[in-house]
Amino acid sequence: MASVWCSLGRRASNLARFSRVSTCCKFRDGARLCSSSSLESMGIPTPDELDTFVGMKSEFPCVQTTPGPEPQYQKFAKGATILHHRQPFHFHWGGVIPELFIAYETFGTLNADKSNVILLHSALSASSHARSSEKDPSEGWWETFIGPALPLDTNKFFFVCANNIGGCFGSSGPSTINPHTGKPYAMTFPLTTIHDMVNILFILLDELGIEKCYGAIGASAGGMQSLLAGVKHPDRIQRVVSISACLQSAPSSIALRYLQRQAIMSDPNWNNGEIYEPNGPFPHRGMKNARSLATCTYRSGPEWTMRFGRKRMSESIPSMCPDFEIESYLDHQGHKFRNMYDPNSLLYISKAMDLFDVSKGYPTMNDSLSRMTAPVLVIGVQSDILIPVFQQKEIAQKLRESGNKNVTYYEMDAIYGHDSFLLDLANIGAAIKGFLEIGNSFEGNN
């Protein structure tokens, strides 16, 4: 009768089975020796049954090991005008840069008394290119919202949109050359906040000779900015629109963005942020993973259930590479984004969102919000998991408690999650258009 060596964990699927093995097996030289008949009686595979093995291939083409293409994000500011502010800029958390660049674009026509200006605040990875123009005919990030007779009507309003400080589309950020060293700032660039983003916009307005804005509109990080602009400059902002934003970043949002940053920083090719040498290291894999994770926070489960369900790419044997359609979609989003944005800018601006607290610098939240007397439109999306709708309800509630009697709260049941502000023209566009145009004191550009 054949005998085999056996040990805990290899031939016993659970403790009960192992105890039965112990009762029928003898020990020799410190090892357990069992007969085949004993193994068969307990339903344990015999040596004859184990003399073949069929497993998965240990090849994973979806895990890229070869270098990716060179980053392309430097090319995306061709439609922007660059304001060179030749004075030191002081950051909210400390740090100074000797000069400041602000990339901005305008849409529409400024009227004679400059009373039709609306600030468009950019979200995390957006450039100043909100709409196509003669200088840059490529599609903007809010293309379907801005234009003649559209919700953001360029026949009536003059829109100003700037790239955020810390970004990579023309405004000062990690990829900007430090004039003291002749090299990019990289991770020596000072820590950036939403306060800094708002401050550079008012430097821009001053340079353009614009004293007041008819409105300030933003979503996500841009919504944080529009709220803060209304708090910091109540005499210069006449209306505020905040979409999918918050008064303070919640722990869940901070956690999700932290994981994205860790995906980048744990890529060896991030190289502590030194990524600007041509053909040098670049964290392609970290950026891809960060964006794939971010995409999970930007959209919603209901949308993906309708769009993908549990459909697989094919009926072939599954593998650890993309197998379900949803996996392929996330893979595609990561691949597409990884070369279109500066990894260091993503670190800086996502951290700025984490640090956001509209009450910072004021004794209480009520003290900060009581400064904002302008009418406010707050828009929330029920399917948003990144900045959940309860945080938009909180904005409206706290503003009302602070004494603002002109707060409108609009809650959408759109299925697109956080990205609804980019996709739901019918609902968001109509809400903004009504809010901006009811009771305006001018007709068209004059």
Side-chain angles (χ1 to χ4, degrees):
M1 181 179 294
S3 297
V4 295
W5 301 98
C6 58
S7 60
L8 177 60
R10 292 189 177 181
R11 296 293 180 268
S13 61
N14 53 48
L15 288 175
R17 179 173 289 182
F18 177 69
S19 64
R20 284 187 290 159
V21 172
S22 300
T23 62
C24 71
C25 299
K26 299 179 180 179
F27 284 87
R28 180 182 296 170
D29 298 329
R32 186 179 290 108
L33 186 64
C34 305
S35 67
S36 294
S37 59
S38 299
L39 294 173
E40 289 171 352
S41 67
M42 292 179 289
I44 299 174
T46 65
D48 291 337
E49 296 170 329
L50 294 173
D51 60 5
T52 60
F53 172 75
V54 179
M56 291 205 315
K57 293 181 179 179
S58 58
E59 298 173 359
F60 306 101
C62 57
V63 182
Q64 182 178 343
T65 56
T66 57
E70 282 291 290
Q72 302 169 0
Y73 53 82
Q74 294 95 336
K75 303 175 183 178
F76 278 66
K78 63 181 180 181
T81 298
I82 306 296
L83 170 67
H84 187 184
H85 186 66
R86 302 177 187 274
Q87 297 179 28
F89 179 79
H90 295 259
F91 288 77
H92 188 73
W93 276 96
V96 185
I97 53 176
E99 58 186 359
L100 176 67
F101 295 97
I102 306 173
Y104 71 96
E105 296 182 51
T106 62
F107 312 95
T109 303
L110 184 65
N111 62 9
D113 61 1
K114 300 182 179 181
S115 63
N116 67 335
V117 178
I118 293 180
L119 274 177
L120 288 183
H121 300 273
S122 301
L124 190 157
S125 59
S127 69
S128 59
H129 192 60
R131 176 179 165 77
S132 57
S133 63
E134 289 185 7
K135 290 178 66 176
D136 185 356
S138 65
E139 187 174 297
W141 53 266
W142 238 9
E143 185 75 20
T144 58
F145 286 73
I146 306 169
L150 291 179
L152 279 67
D153 193 345
T154 51
N155 288 333
K156 297 180 179 180
F157 301 107
F158 180 68
F159 298 95
V160 179
C161 184
N163 180 218
N164 292 323
I165 188 170
C168 57
F169 299 120
S171 293
S172 294
S175 60
T176 304
I177 299 298
N178 182 345
H180 290 300
T181 65
K183 297 180 179 180
Y185 287 105
M187 294 304 290
T188 68
F189 194 75
L191 186 68
T192 302
T193 66
I194 300 295
H195 286 262
D196 299 316
M197 296 174 192
V198 170
N199 288 343
I200 74 161
L201 290 173
F202 283 87
I203 290 174
L204 173 62
L205 291 176
D206 290 343
E207 293 283 351
L208 296 176
I210 296 171
E211 178 60 28
K212 290 188 177 182
C213 291
Y214 181 78
I217 302 173
S220 192
M224 297 175 183
Q225 293 176 55
S226 65
L227 287 170
L228 188 60
V231 168
K232 290 172 71 76
H233 301 280
D235 56 332
R236 299 182 70 174
I237 300 295
Q238 295 176 310
R239 296 183 183 220
V240 172
V241 178
S242 171
I243 309 166
S244 294
C246 58
L247 298 175
Q248 302 168 312
S249 284
S252 58
S253 302
I254 294 171
L256 291 166
R257 286 188 289 264
Y258 170 75
L259 292 176
Q260 294 169 48
R261 292 194 296 272
Q262 285 298 298
I264 294 170
M265 297 173 71
S266 61
D267 186 328
N269 286 324
W270 177 61
N271 197 34
N272 291 329
E274 299 296 328
I275 56 175
Y276 301 111
E277 288 294 325
N279 301 312
F282 190 84
H284 292 284
R285 186 182 298 175
M287 278 293 281
K288 172 182 172 294
N289 291 338
R291 184 61 173 190
S292 296
L293 175 60
T295 302
C296 294
T297 72
Y298 297 154
R299 307 304 274 262
S300 78
E303 179 204 0
W304 285 352
T305 297
M306 293 175 59
R307 186 173 175 185
F308 303 110
R310 287 180 48 81
K311 289 183 288 188
R312 294 180 57 217
M313 300 288 291
S314 71
E315 295 303 317
S316 61
I317 297 174
S319 76
M320 293 298 178
C321 286
D323 179 55
F324 290 95
E325 285 189 2
I326 182 60
E327 294 174 319
S328 179
Y329 170 76
L330 293 175
D331 218 37
H332 169 74
Q333 292 298 319
H335 272 293
K336 183 175 71 171
F337 183 78
R338 62 182 181 155
N339 298 310
M340 296 175 62
Y341 199 68
D342 183 342
N344 292 336
S345 287
L346 194 151
L347 298 179
Y348 274 86
I349 297 181
S350 69
K351 186 67 176 182
M353 294 177 71
D354 290 355
L355 294 170
F356 177 65
D357 180 348
V358 75
S359 68
K360 185 170 176 56
Y362 302 93
T364 66
M365 180 66 73
N366 188 72
D367 288 319
S368 66
L369 296 181
S370 64
R371 295 171 51 84
M372 193 191 311
T373 56
V376 182
L377 171 63
V378 182
I379 300 177
V381 180
Q382 292 175 0
S383 58
D384 190 341
I385 63 171
L386 179 60
I387 305 181
V389 73
F390 76 83
Q391 293 191 271
Q392 282 84 60
K393 291 179 179 177
E394 181 185 39
I395 296 172
Q397 177 186 342
K398 295 294 186 182
L399 281 169
R400 289 165 180 156
E401 290 175 356
S402 73
N404 193 319
K405 301 187 182 303
N406 295 295
V407 180
T408 302
Y409 175 68
Y410 180 46
E411 185 171 306
M412 297 168 46
D413 63 355
I415 66 170
Y416 302 111
H418 191 70
D419 269 358
S420 292
F421 75 88
L422 296 171
L423 302 169
D424 199 329
L425 175 65
N427 286 297
I428 289 183
I432 295 174
K433 184 177 180 66
F435 179 75
L436 292 178
E437 296 186 11
I438 292 175
N440 67 36
S441 57
F442 56 86
E443 288 295 334
N445 301 315
N446 50 63

